[in-house]
Amino acid sequence: KKRSEEAFRASEERYRLLVELVPDGIIVYSDGVIVFANPRVLELAGTSSLDDLVGKSIFDFVHPEFKEFVARRVQTSAYQTPLPPAEEKFIRLDGSIFDAEVQTRPIIFQGKPANLVLLRDITERKQAEEKLRSSESRLSEAQRLAHLGSFEMTRDLHSNYWSDELYKIFEHDPSQGQTSFFGFLRHVHPEDRATIDALFKQTVKKGIPFQGEFRIIVGGGEVKYLQATGKPILDENGRILKIFGTIADITAQKLIEQALRVSEARYHGL
């Protein structure tokens, strides 16, 4: 009996150390009230005292936008069913907000049904995602205003990426995905096709940047004038990883140039 008690105490000590040292936050709540929190949760909440958390409702720390969502999860769990991971917002004691990934499992704590919640701070990740979305939005708007699309291709000329504006330039449905290089060539005016084919393949073969003007035929036979610029992206050994480029719609510019040439010819013909 003494050995079993010692083994139980040793097991409890190992569990306590694990809970205290784990880098993620761990809280336990029963009947909606916090009954346990590890040091990481105290840090996330902005306190050093358990008294600031234990005995409080979990909803005291849930962001208002997520209270209904969390309430539904608590009801779904009913302290019996594990819940899938979710991303939620919480409020620190000083009123600041942090994002966390939450995993919930039912347990028995001090003889009562409870939920153990693992909290992982993802605030930096969410901020980075928001910055990326904002950057992509600004890039998309800039490309729209400049009638400039961008693309990425593998070294064997398979398309990896088309920007929104490039889809618009080619009048290609984004839901159908990026067109292949050969699909792209089918859009190119027959008189320009061989030149553009050679231009791209030269980049792949020799690893040199390219630039050229060409025409495409879209819709019901409309001709657009485009300018392509691109360069290979190399690895540390100088091998081509991919090709990045831009395509600008210069139709308006070309039509103006043509109109000016016609006007000048008429003038000189007077």
Side-chain angles (χ1 to χ4, degrees):
K1 182 179 179 181
K2 184 177 180 182
R3 285 181 180 176
S4 63
E5 288 177 351
E6 288 176 350
F8 178 73
R9 283 196 295 271
S11 176
E12 276 195 326
E13 178 65 13
R14 285 195 296 270
Y15 180 74
R16 183 186 65 80
L17 287 172
L18 175 64
V19 169
E20 287 183 355
L21 296 176
V22 71
D24 295 325
I26 296 176
I27 65 169
V28 177
Y29 68 87
S30 181
D31 294 326
V33 175
I34 298 171
V35 293
F36 172 83
N38 76 340
R40 177 57 176 152
V41 168
L42 299 183
E43 182 183 340
L44 288 172
T47 182
S48 58
S49 173
L50 268 176
D51 293 337
D52 288 331
L53 301 181
V54 172
K56 305 288 180 62
S57 168
I58 57 170
F59 293 99
D60 289 348
F61 304 96
V62 176
H63 191 282
E65 293 178 3
F66 283 82
K67 285 189 176 181
E68 184 178 342
F69 174 74
V70 172
R72 287 199 304 269
R73 282 173 61 85
V74 172
Q75 186 177 18
T76 300
S77 168
Y79 302 102
Q80 295 179 350
T81 306
L83 296 175
E87 294 181 0
E88 301 170 12
K89 286 185 181 291
F90 295 90
I91 303 175
R92 297 186 180 91
L93 290 170
D94 64 3
S96 60
I97 298 168
F98 70 94
D99 294 278
E101 185 179 73
V102 176
Q103 298 188 56
T104 304
R105 295 290 181 272
I107 63 169
I108 299 298
F109 187 83
Q110 296 178 347
K112 294 180 62 177
N115 275 340
L116 183 149
V117 180
L118 190 71
L119 292 171
R120 176 165 294 172
D121 186 359
I122 58 170
T123 304
E124 289 186 1
R125 192 191 84 195
K126 298 295 284 186
Q127 289 173 344
E129 289 173 355
E130 179 57 34
K131 286 181 180 178
L132 179 60
R133 280 193 296 271
S134 177
S135 175
E136 288 178 341
S137 176
R138 289 195 298 270
L139 176 61
S140 179
E141 180 63 10
Q143 290 193 355
R144 185 188 68 80
L145 293 172
H147 300 293
L148 177 76
S150 57
F151 65 89
E152 280 186 7
M153 286 183 172
T154 62
R155 59 171 290 116
D156 51 0
L157 298 179
H158 289 296
S159 296
N160 272 342
Y161 165 79
W162 275 32
S163 70
D164 291 342
E165 190 61 22
L166 195 58
Y167 282 110
K168 293 175 183 175
I169 289 172
F170 279 82
E171 299 182 10
H172 186 69
D173 184 356
S175 66
Q176 296 179 10
Q178 307 97 12
T179 186
S180 66
F181 177 68
F182 302 103
F184 156 77
L185 277 180
R186 283 195 295 270
H187 283 286
V188 176
H189 193 288
E191 294 177 5
D192 299 338
R193 197 170 292 157
T195 300
I196 292 302
D197 184 32
L199 197 65
F200 275 79
K201 289 180 178 177
Q202 177 179 265
T203 295
V204 171
K205 185 176 181 180
K206 298 183 178 180
I208 58 176
F210 65 85
Q211 183 171 334
E213 295 182 2
F214 60 101
R215 293 163 291 174
I216 61 170
I217 302 173
V218 296
E222 177 191 358
V223 175
K224 290 185 179 181
Y225 292 80
L226 308 181
Q227 182 179 62
T229 304
K231 66 175 184 178
I233 307 299
L234 310 178
D235 65 13
E236 62 274 11
N237 297 314
R239 293 189 295 259
I240 297 175
L241 291 174
K242 58 187 177 182
I243 297 168
F244 176 81
T246 61
I247 293 180
D249 184 349
I250 58 172
T251 305
Q253 175 187 332
K254 285 294 183 181
L255 292 178
I256 290 172
E257 290 175 359
Q258 290 174 10
L260 285 173
R261 282 196 295 270
V262 170
S263 177
E264 287 179 357
R266 287 176 179 170
Y267 174 79
H268 290 299
L270 290 177

